[in-house]
Amino acid sequence: MIYEIRKYGDPILKKKAELVTEFNSEIKEILDNMLETMYAANGVGLAANQVGILKQLITIDAGTKESPRPIKIVNPVIIEKSKEKTEYEEGCLSFPEITEKIVRPSIVKVKFYDQDGNEKIMEFTGLESIAIQHEIDHLNGILFINRMSPIKRIMLDKKLKEIKNSSKIKAK
Ligand code: ZN
């Protein structure tokens, strides 16, 4: 099932996602649907907030069409960051048509659970590292525009307002 992707302006994007405490078929189903939604939107990563679910769930795939590399992530915590940083032109499925250079640690070590509740520790490099950091930010209610310089954000103001106005804001 493909979920509706929430766009900038939807208050759920500013909320913190809750820890998953029970590993059941519902969690597996959400992760499957998130992957499907992410592929349909040609995204590299997706956080559950972006589809209106406040749970600490992420899907990423920084592979290629020929050799996909889907990873399903539950309750992630960054336990180590490299001092070395990388600048990358990031996009976000909640911000259509906006890309901007963001600086992040090049390599991160992340502790997380797989969909069956097994604890994993994995080192992420390259695009996978950028994607996991971007998505963990989402789970904490942090958006990539929060990591831009104030000047860049002002330059994007008009575009941001357009997204906000067209986004269907669900009344809370
Ligand atoms: Zn995003």
Side-chain angles (χ1 to χ4, degrees), residues 50 91-94 134-135 138:
Q50 291 181 280
C92 178
L93 295 177
S94 297
H134 178 116
E135 303 314 327
H138 272 301

